Amino acid sequence: MRIYHYICFNASPDHVTELERVGISIKAKNSAAFSVYDDDSRWPEVQCLLNSWHVKWRDHIEYSDEDLSSSAYLHIIGAPEAAIPHPEKKSGWKAATYDLSKYCGTCGSHKLQIHPFQLIEAPKFGTDDVVSLYWVYDEYFVRTEIWNRVFQPFGIESLPVLRHESRLPLETVVQLKIDDISQFPLDAGDKWDSSVCAVCGQKKNCGSPRTPYFPQFVGNPEGHLFKTQELFGAGLISARAVVCSNELYRVMMSAGVRGLKFEPQEMVCTGQTSRGAR
């Protein structure tokens, strides 16, 4: 695992000169956008310059192949958002897709999918094979041939995705059917802040995680693709984390499946926390 810092700001000629002095090359005029790894010898001086200029940066985690391939389970962090669910007006897609009889309008929890998602047209996959929809945080949509070749052999079912106007299935895309919920909760400790809805009492984990790895489960879940018992999000965002087995991850990587991002699981060993399989 490595941490890298992404910096982007409007740079003056003096900023560019100072950055180039410490070895950071800026190509675009009046704009600086670059990344520096935390273990880069240039970072301490770059950090001092940014602080003196009151410039903020974003920290990102880059996991190694070993981190990912040795993890018993992997949290699917996300995929590119490639389409908008319909009907879009006044979030009509929720009523068209979910049973909202128990839905909480305060925290966004307790909706149950009962109908296929509707799209104007097939998602624009580009170079990706798996994508997500705007405002939908725990469902994934794949090229039909990828589902046939990679996911179906694991017993992972699919749901049709409908063209909004005709209500006929789109041929090139299906939704992964992820109905299974982990039999075991996460051993999360204080990894996230949490909130409890004042209306329905639902607890959600929120905020940035305090550790760089996904927590292990209190037990050994079954299945290759499932969701956590826990809900995550703030405001009206309420979604379960989606988790895949190491075996499914390896097959996806071997098949060259593109689009998904993963976070490896932590492992508790001899009193210390590290990455890897149990």
Side-chain angles (χ1 to χ4, degrees), residues 8-227:
C8 183
F9 70 104
N10 293 324
S12 69
D14 288 342
H15 292 151
V16 172
T17 298
E18 284 295 291
L19 288 171
E20 291 181 342
R21 179 181 60 80
V22 299
I24 304 296
S25 178
I26 305 299
K27 297 180 180 179
K29 183 178 181 181
N30 299 327
S31 178
F34 60 95
S35 297
V36 184
Y37 282 101
D38 192 69
D39 56 3
D40 190 314
S41 61
R42 298 171 298 175
W43 173 241
E45 192 165 1
V46 171
Q47 184 179 23
C48 287
L49 289 173
L50 296 176
N51 284 332
S52 69
W53 300 332
H54 305 289
V55 171
K56 303 292 184 182
W57 62 85
R58 291 185 179 181
D59 292 341
H60 298 272
I61 299 172
E62 182 180 278
Y63 297 104
S64 68
D65 290 341
E66 181 185 0
D67 286 328
L68 296 166
S69 63
S70 63
S71 183
Y73 303 99
L74 296 102
H75 171 212
I76 299 178
I77 300 174
E81 296 170 321
I84 295 174
H86 278 73
E88 183 183 1
K89 188 175 181 180
K90 295 183 179 179
S91 297
W93 61 272
K94 288 184 181 178
T97 310
Y98 297 101
D99 175 358
L100 300 177
S101 60
K102 298 181 180 179
Y103 178 72
C104 178
T106 299
C107 72
S109 302
H110 314 300
K111 60 184 184 292
L112 176 67
Q113 184 177 350
I114 56 174
H115 299 297
F117 279 91
Q118 300 175 34
L119 304 178
I120 290 291
E121 59 183 1
K124 299 186 184 304
F125 283 97
T127 59
D128 296 309
D129 300 305
V130 187
V131 296
S132 64
L133 304 183
Y134 288 93
W135 318 308
V136 180
Y137 302 96
D138 53 5
E139 304 295 346
Y140 294 102
F141 302 79
V142 304
R143 297 180 190 270
T144 304
E145 66 93 5
I146 292 292
W147 172 74
N148 285 323
R149 181 161 54 91
V150 176
F151 293 95
Q152 189 178 30
F154 280 90
I156 299 167
E157 298 180 17
S158 68
L159 294 171
V161 181
L162 306 183
R163 188 180 298 276
H164 176 55
E165 290 186 355
S166 67
R167 303 295 197 276
L168 294 176
L170 291 161
E171 295 183 358
T172 58
V173 59
V174 294
Q175 177 188 351
L176 293 178
K177 191 171 186 288
I178 316 174
D179 288 340
D180 292 341
I181 305 297
S182 170
Q183 311 99 301
F184 303 100
L186 296 169
D187 186 9
D190 63 348
K191 184 179 175 77
W192 295 279
D193 291 328
S194 63
S195 63
V196 177
C197 179
V199 175
C200 72
Q202 178 64 56
K203 178 182 177 181
K204 294 193 298 185
N205 294 314
C206 55
S208 300
R210 296 189 178 93
T211 58
Y213 297 106
F214 194 69
Q216 50 171 226
F217 292 94
V218 182
N220 293 298
E222 297 177 356
H224 293 288
L225 189 66
F226 54 90
K227 296 178 181 179

